[in-house]
Amino acid sequence: MTVSVQVDRLSKRYGATVALDGIDLQIRQGEFFGLLGPNGAGKSTLINILAGLVRADAGTARIMGHEVWADYRRARRCIGVVPQELVFDPFFTVREVLRIQSGYFGLGRENDPWLEELLHELHLADKADTNMRALSGGMKRRVLIAQALVHRPPVVVLDEPTAGVDVEIRNLLWQFIRRLHAEGHTILLTTHYLEEAESMCQRIAILDRGRIVALDSKERLLASTLGGLVHVRLTCATPLTTVPPALAGKVRRCEGNVLELDLEQGADSILEVLEILRDAGITLTDLHTERADLEDVFMELTYGRRGYRQGSGSPGNENHGEEQSP
Ligand SMILES: Nc1ncnc2c1ncn2[C@@H]1O[C@H](COP(=O)(O)OP(=O)(O)OP(=O)(O)O)[C@@H](O)[C@H]1O
Ligand SMILES: [Mg+2]
């Protein structure tokens, strides 16, 4: 097995903020790997360290065996990073931006056919001679992707590549990223669209407050974290004032007429639940069941670990990841 990305005991602080707290990670060559986590979890910090843009306080990171800080040039040749932030020199055209980036890797006009192919694949050909400042956000994001690929790096890292991108372009980007993966590139992806991660990634790490709280194939994450939970959403004829004690441990949400339960597949019986409700004099008008998905795993491992459950006072705070544990 060839390892593309090897991270050992990686730590990074910003003043009192612990952005990464001793991360270990191995991504295999050719793998499609997802890095998930709430805002402020440390995802971009990790990616910026892999890109050589930020220096870790402790630990090491290697790309295709090259240590990113000690052996920066070799490591940098092996990795293409699409950053989360849209930063460009506004005075260059799209094609110029790509040619300049090519030049950083010692590539001259012989690389032009590849740059044209990238422009074509990312539907930027008609914008090639447009100045960066005249592009929309979604177009700039696509230029960032092309820029990351000018030197055909074996490892491609995408930090929220579909943020602020419309549905049509998002689908186009997914096709393109799938193609890169099919051609043998190792992909490391962060996204807040969990359904994207669920459909694309082979293994997933969930980062929370600078630590990896789960790392496994998505199938095993679903099975081990939630053990085949089934969500049941019940709508009652009248608002619920109390939940029958026999169901108390299974309540995910209880609000107005709606009662949501987490049932364990095999162990809990929906018929029993219906009997308990009937015995309590509760009349149902609707029932809906659904299997747990990656979003449930994510909520359980991040907010759930902090004592929040969905519907029981979600933090609803963009900066919650910045809280420091004592
Ligand atoms: N340059 C910096 N200076 C100070 N603090 C920083 C800096 N960069 C990141 N941080 C802090 O480090 C923590 C991790 O930030 P990071 O950007 O890695 O999170 P993230 O997981 O990428 O979040 P998001 O989903 O919002 O992109 C946060 O608390 C953030 O405020
Ligand atoms: Mg980020």
Side-chain angles (χ1 to χ4, degrees), residues 28 121 288 307:
R28 297 187 273 270
E121 285 296 325
H288 177 82

Side-chain angles (χ1 to χ4, degrees), residues 14 17 19 37-46 84 159-160 192 321-322:
Y14 291 103
T17 302
N39 289 136
K43 304 177 298 294
S44 295
T45 302
L46 174 58
Q84 184 173 7
D159 198 352
E160 296 191 41
H192 286 286
E322 294 174 11

Side-chain angles (χ1 to χ4, degrees), residues 276-290:
I276 292 168
L277 291 170
R278 195 192 53 206
D279 292 349
I282 298 167
T283 311
L284 296 181
T285 57
D286 191 29
L287 182 153
H288 177 82
T289 60
E290 104 194 348

Side-chain angles (χ1 to χ4, degrees), residues 103-280:
Y104 290 141
F105 294 99
L107 300 165
R109 284 299 168 90
E110 75 281 6
N111 202 33
D112 277 359
W114 172 237
L115 301 187
E116 295 306 316
E117 193 180 331
L118 284 173
L119 289 170
H120 175 76
E121 285 296 325
L122 289 159
H123 292 223
L124 288 166
D126 59 336
K127 298 287 173 190
D129 298 312
T130 303
N131 272 351
M132 288 303 299
R133 65 169 179 271
L135 297 187
S136 74
M139 291 170 193
K140 286 184 185 135
R141 176 105 21 221
R142 279 179 277 155
V143 178
L144 276 182
I145 295 174
Q147 208 182 3
L149 297 172
V150 295
H151 57 304
R152 300 176 190 256
V155 180
V156 180
V157 178
L158 303 121
D159 198 352
E160 296 191 41
T162 50
V165 169
D166 73 37
V167 177
E168 194 187 335
I169 298 298
R170 191 180 302 167
N171 289 335
L172 180 148
L173 286 183
W174 288 127
Q175 269 176 29
F176 182 67
I177 295 166
R178 278 209 171 94
R179 193 190 108 189
L180 290 175
H181 180 239
E183 287 171 354
H185 291 272
T186 305
I187 311 280
L188 169 58
L189 166 79
T190 81
T191 177
H192 286 286
Y193 298 101
L194 298 190
E195 70 280 13
E196 286 181 349
E198 198 164 346
S199 76
M200 311 268 293
C201 301
Q202 297 162 323
R203 281 197 309 151
I204 287 169
I206 298 182
L207 202 60
D208 189 27
R209 292 177 287 186
R211 289 188 181 190
I212 291 178
V213 293
L215 198 172
D216 217 327
S217 69
K218 66 181 172 226
E219 294 79 15
R220 280 202 292 262
L221 275 183
L222 285 167
S224 65
T225 312
L226 296 167
L229 280 188
V230 179
H231 295 165
V232 183
R233 187 170 197 272
L234 304 154
T235 310
C236 310
T238 50
L240 282 174
T241 43
T242 54
V243 176
L247 299 178
K250 307 180 199 304
V251 176
R252 164 175 282 258
R253 187 164 83 98
C254 178
E255 242 173 66
N257 292 34
V258 175
L259 175 64
E260 285 182 24
L261 303 173
D262 282 332
L263 300 187
E264 246 174 81
Q265 225 173 12
D268 293 318
S269 140
I270 185 94
L271 286 175
E272 252 172 55
V273 169
L274 296 179
E275 270 173 31
I276 292 168
L277 291 170
R278 195 192 53 206
D279 292 349

